[in-house]
Amino acid sequence: MAEAYDLPNWNETNLRASLRRVDAAMAVWKPRHAMHSIAEIVVHCAYWKYALRRRLRNDKRGSFPLSGS
């Protein structure tokens, strides 16, 4: 999972490079009401990285820093 964030991938743009020039205002902006913001997508990626890591390590649930469903 770290490869998607830090290392080059098949299209040569990883998540970190994609977010390099995104400021807070841009991150929370939504193109339409029903669409997700950049910030929501990043939290989604972080959560699923946490969930996969937790499952692989058989760790306890509930240590993700943000609450929500």
Side-chain angles (χ1 to χ4, degrees), residues 1 3-4 8-9 11 13 18 20 29-30 34-35 38-39 41 43 45 49-50 56 58 63-64 66 68:
M1 295 286 286
E3 291 85 4
N9 56 33
N11 68 352
T13 304
S18 298
R20 184 175 297 136
W29 176 78
K30 289 185 176 190
M35 298 182 81
I38 293 170
I41 294 168
V43 170
C45 291
K49 180 177 180 178
Y50 150 79
L56 290 173
N58 203 24
S63 60
F64 191 69
L66 300 174

Side-chain angles (χ1 to χ4, degrees), residues 23-35:
D23 61 18
M26 194 183 300
V28 297
W29 176 78
K30 289 185 176 190
R32 283 186 245 151
H33 176 66
M35 298 182 81

Side-chain angles (χ1 to χ4, degrees), residues 39-55:
E40 290 170 331
I41 294 168
V42 169
V43 170
H44 177 79
C45 291
Y47 174 80
W48 283 105
K49 180 177 180 178
Y50 150 79
L52 177 61
R53 185 179 192 177
R54 180 182 54 81
R55 289 176 189 174

